[in-house]
Amino acid sequence: MENGEIESADEEMASRGGRRYTRVVSHEQAVIQMSPIEIISPSGILPKKEKANFQANSTANGSQGTSNGQDGQGELQKQSKLELFGFDSLVNILGLKSMTGEQIPAPSSPSEGEDVAITLGRPKETAPKLGTLMGVFVPCLQNILGIIYYIRFSWIVGMGGIGESLMLVSFCGACTFLTSISLSAIATNGAMKGGGPYYLIGRALGPEVGVSIGLCFFLGNAVAGALYVLGAVETFLDAVPSAGFFRESVVVVSNSTSINGTLTNGTTTTVSTPSLHDLQLYGVVVTILLCFIVFGGVKIINKVAPAFLIAVLFSLFCIFVGTFAAPRHNASSGITGVKLKTFRDNWSSDYQRTTNSGVPDPNGSIYWNFNALVGLFFPAVTGIMAGSNRSASLKDTQRSIPIGTLAATLTTTFMYLVSVLLFGALATREELLTNRLLTAEIAWPVPAIVYVGIILSTLGAALQSLTGAPRLLAAIANDDILPVLKYFKVSEGGEPHLATLFTAFICIGCVVIGNLDLITPTITMFFLLCYAGVNLSCFLLDLLDAPSWRPRWRFHHWSLSLIGALICIVIMFLISWSFTVVSLALASLIYYYVSIKGKAGDWGDGFKSAYFQLALRSLRSLGANQVHPKNWYPIPLVFCRPWGKLPENVPCHPKLADFANCMKKKGRGMSMFVSIIDGDYHELAEDAKIACRQLSTYIDYKNCEGVAEIVVAPTMADGFRGIVQTMGLGNLKPNIVVMRYPEIWRRENLTQIPSTFVSIINDCIIANKAVVIVKGLDEWPGEYQRQYGTIDLYWIVRDGGLMLLLSQLLLTKESFDSCKIQVFCIAEEDAEAEELKADVKKFLYDLRMQAEVIVITIKSWEAHLKSGHQQDESMEAFSSAQQRIGAYLEEMKETSHREGTPLMADGKQVVVNEQQVDKFLYTTLELNSTILRYSRMAAVVLVSLPPPPLSHPSYFYMEYMDLLVENVPRMLIVRGYRKDVVTLFT
């Protein structure tokens, strides 16, 4: 198999602004054609003797081919039959079970951006893959079960009461449950690479959104690891104060305490807290030890994680047993045991002020309400992405992620709900609010079990954070969207060591800071931002329901995903609107940076599908009815390369693209750039694709909003006739044809250009398309070349106001905004002049257009015959045109007489009225003389395009047009169509 590579030399053309345009180099694989007779090898066609060996070595099961002639002949017959239906190449490329009897295993889907290749030899060794239990359920459970349950959950029940605590757990649990459903749906819609939620969001909402949310989620996981480490160290130092190298005691004075609305006498309590330096020292050591475990890879993590989780689950079991065994003889008096009276007393909430340590105090600095409790409790339900973060290490992502994530979410939510009921019935409100380690005091048989559970649960959560965050960063780097992340790339199956070091550096930095009170809400926001992104991704994919959306997980609906996203946003604002704004601003900055510096990643994201659906809906709403003048937009069809030589690497005249922009108000509107390649479509189809890509790139380079199309046709006239009939959809069809005036026709081709030019104009008239022909395109001003003087309109025929509208559009451009508009109206009799001027002024006033109106009189052809010829600089061109037309006509007559046929031109019969020819020549002469008299210094002249006479040869029409544009440096020749483009009414 050969790969064809189409290359073109890099040529550059300098524009006026100093910018350079480089030709596009296209690399495209050649079309693979599988022959039924010859076997194609990487180096070409194999000799006949080697065919059997090549076939035998190419089979994955090692079966040996036969070299005997009968088998080879039968094989060729089977291949020939397959070739007849086009199956042979499909079987060989896909590697499916061969219809010729060869057993070939089906390959796995290639990763995005990789080429399909046949690998011979020993398969690549990869790291061991994980199942549902160890790959998803255990990591999620370890991340969810954290320190909040052990030291703050009973306090939350005391502050919010049983009723609102149940509401709180249900509300936060609903958020994670709906997010898990959305995650399950997206994760089961095809193969999933590493990166977890980043991979899902990026492929659904695009690379910019995916990278911005993914980096925020990575940062949240990295800093969350520091939180878990500090929690473990603080619990350890509380349990074993003698282990601290530094000591620090804080005296908390409470004047009065409110319990159930009853004020009690103030007390002075001395609380010994670990020193900040101890937290920093132990925290750095623990983080380094955890990093060594993570560096050991998946094998060591699989051995360590269950040990942590078993100890945590055993501590939870001891807490639940101790709940029913309480009160014991050494228990606090506030622990009543599970009683209905206590349950009723604790049902309602008791929000009040507390100190920073949570001790109730009427003068405390913190006032608690439901919103504040949401911010405190929600980190206890985060962690549902821990399994999907390690998606690259899973055996079957489509089975493990839904089952493991939902099982962990439902298990922990159920445990929290049961714990609310048990804690609310276990102890008095005062005990719940003042005893921070109530879970340790009631644990059976000894409180030390809970201390061990707290330490191991936080260390397990930290371990999962330090495992998932580097893999997330490596997945973002492997997609090669941001070049700055290239150092964190990891080969398939490899460990992200550099990303782990970077994550550990962030974690250690946060541990050294020690006080993360300001960072913690932002971390929670990052988690919520990620959850909202997953829900919005599922909502968009499910709502659009593209043919590729076929998730194996059936229990989902777009409404559930939308509710989940709304809950995430509500929780963000409930926790802190200021931190919500900060996190959204950070994500927006990353999005902006990725959109500027990032490489384009075409992943077929949901936004592309949404744009497609929106475009279809908008197109249907436009309908096929006539567009009202108030809603009329110019949609120019720009004819790129006719009538002139351009450098090979420039697919369109630069000034033609600039002029297309001049036809749009503030850049709004769409242009269609078209070029025609003469030849056979079957031979030139690939050339047309390459030319189309080059033209599209050039359009982007010129900042034109538009699309490119290359058409292959036998002739330019045939190609344009097909374009003008079929280009566009509904009311989005082009309505103005823009092309260059063929100034080179006389020296290049005397027969082909005139006939093609006239054919194009006639096709536009029949198709009811307006025409704008630009004469003097090389002198058209650039973007920053300011023009002074006037824009002169020679308004001869009614064109629906197109010429007037074009002049107004030119004034909106910086090049022409200093110009004034002059409207010249042609009258044959002096008596009509004043009346015509008044009518035109009134018309322009109603159209809200500022212009000076000038009425000029041109003698009619009959008056000219009576008065004789005038003498001016156009007369020489007029005489030359008469002579050339006369010579051409004589040649036509001689040919007709010699062959015995009627007068023929352009392949058709013509009737020439010589007096009418002279009348056309005189009219164009008079108009040209008038233009030179009044508009010699004009910035640009607009004049009506005369339609080609039906019975005249195209050569005659080109002579008329040449006489019209003679000595005028810059002119727009305009023909409108049969409907108005301006309106008098609001």
Side-chain angles (χ1 to χ4, degrees), residues 80-101:
S80 298
K81 292 178 182 179
L82 296 173
E83 178 69 15
L84 178 64
F85 294 99
F87 289 154
D88 184 63
S89 59
L90 179 67
V91 171
N92 282 278
I93 292 173
L94 294 182
L96 303 176
K97 181 178 179 181
S98 175
M99 299 178 70
T100 63

Side-chain angles (χ1 to χ4, degrees), residues 190-232:
M192 180 178 173
K193 291 168 60 179
Y198 154 73
Y199 182 85
L200 302 178
I201 296 172
R203 267 59 180 180
L205 300 181
E208 294 86 359
V209 178
V211 171
S212 58
I213 295 180
L215 287 177
C216 288
F217 191 57
F218 158 75
L219 187 62
N221 274 283
V223 182
L227 286 176
Y228 297 138
V229 168
L230 287 175

